[in-house]
Amino acid sequence: QVQLHESGPGLVRPSETLSLTCTVPVGSISTYYWSWIRQSPGKGLEWIGHNAFRGSAKYGPSFRGRVTISVDSSKNQFFLRVTSVTAADTATYFCARDAVRGHWFDSWGQGSLVTVSS
Amino acid sequence: SYVLTQISSVSVAPGQTARIPCEGDNIGGKVVHWYQQRPGQAPILVVQNDVGRPAGIPERFAGSNSGNTATLTITRVEAGDEADYFCQVWDYSGNSFVFGSGTTVTVL
């Protein structure tokens, strides 16, 4: 397990863009795929997508066309952008590290609550 | 897309065994992972690759997977095991991670 840390606004207006940053330990960003996962209040987990430095981004079926995940190795950070948000996008957003040897998540951030409201 | 179904809750007395099923079409042909999420905290991996335990996870946590059901079994349940538990697979046809809906374990 490594420490990941989400940051970004806690409140976003409807129809605007949600932007979050995840900071990862120095030196590790180039080795892994990095994911965003969200959890709506009182609900389950939903994979948004992942990307890697010099990798190709993949997105969950519910998010294709509305989400961008990018990686900046110089800052040891990766990012989430969700456009045209609605109240349904209100959730806790987690960043996570994809395991190298399989399709699971071996490290998670503590989560960042984002509320969509006017 | 692939769907994983979990029962909403399981109640168990301390010292007893909790069994948490995760159902999916031919899930036995997939690789299942399990996470524990305590209230207000991030999930942590408790079983990987159907039956493996990450470092630091007690032997009381065990996974199995066959047919249309994967199961997380917690033996000698303790108060600290009270949490939500989620199963997860990689859906190759949809190119996507998929989570179950989660099961809340209540220790009586």
Side-chain angles (χ1 to χ4, degrees):
Chain A
Q1 281 242 45
V2 298
Q3 295 285 337
L4 309 181
H5 180 67
E6 305 92 347
S7 58
L11 180 65
V12 181
R13 307 281 184 214
S15 80
E16 296 190 346
T17 296
L18 180 161
S19 296
L20 292 172
T21 298
C22 182
T23 303
V24 311
V26 172
S28 66
I29 193 110
S30 301
T31 310
Y32 297 91
Y33 267 82
W34 303 93
S35 281
W36 287 97
I37 296 156
R38 77 179 187 184
Q39 186 170 35
S40 301
K43 299 286 178 68
L45 300 166
E46 191 174 21
W47 182 69
I48 299 170
H50 70 185
N51 202 351
F53 176 61
R54 296 197 184 123
S56 62
K58 291 188 180 69
Y59 302 109
S62 303
F63 299 97
R64 290 168 191 158
R66 204 164 68 95
V67 165
T68 303
I69 296 174
S70 56
V71 179
D72 186 334
S73 63
S74 68
K75 296 181 179 178
N76 298 297
Q77 294 176 327
F78 67 105
F79 310 96
L80 172 69
R81 282 173 49 92
V82 182
T83 59
S84 305
V85 297
T86 69
D89 294 308
T90 293
T92 295
Y93 287 77
F94 294 97
C95 60
R97 189 177 78 176
D98 296 17
V100 170
R101 286 181 282 179
H103 294 292
W104 70 83
F105 307 103
D106 63 7
S107 298
W108 297 67
Q110 280 304 298
S112 179
L113 175 61
V114 178
T115 301
V116 179
S117 175
S118 55
Chain B
S1 57
Y2 193 74
V3 175
L4 294 174
T5 301
Q6 295 185 247
I7 56 176
S8 61
S9 63
V10 166
S11 297
V12 59
Q16 298 303 302
T17 297
R19 294 180 178 83
I20 305 164
C22 173
E23 296 184 347
D25 184 33
N26 191 29
I27 195 174
K30 298 185 179 298
V31 180
V32 181
H33 318 286
W34 291 90
Y35 302 86
Q36 175 194 71
Q37 186 181 30
R38 294 191 174 104
Q41 297 188 17
I44 63 168
L45 185 72
V46 292
V47 168
Q48 68 197 44
N49 289 340
D50 291 340
V51 300
R53 265 187 314 276
I57 301 301
E59 291 182 4
R60 301 185 299 104
F61 290 82
S64 62
N65 185 17
S66 177
N68 292 318
T69 305
T71 303
L72 175 66
T73 301
I74 311 172
T75 55
R76 301 184 302 282
V77 165
E78 304 173 355
D81 298 331
E82 197 162 87
D84 292 331
Y85 291 84
F86 296 91
C87 54
Q88 175 253 304
V89 301
W90 172 257
D91 176 21
Y92 282 91
S93 61
N95 239 355
S96 174
F97 290 93
V98 177
F99 288 95
S101 48
T103 297
T104 299
V105 170
T106 301
V107 181
L108 300 171

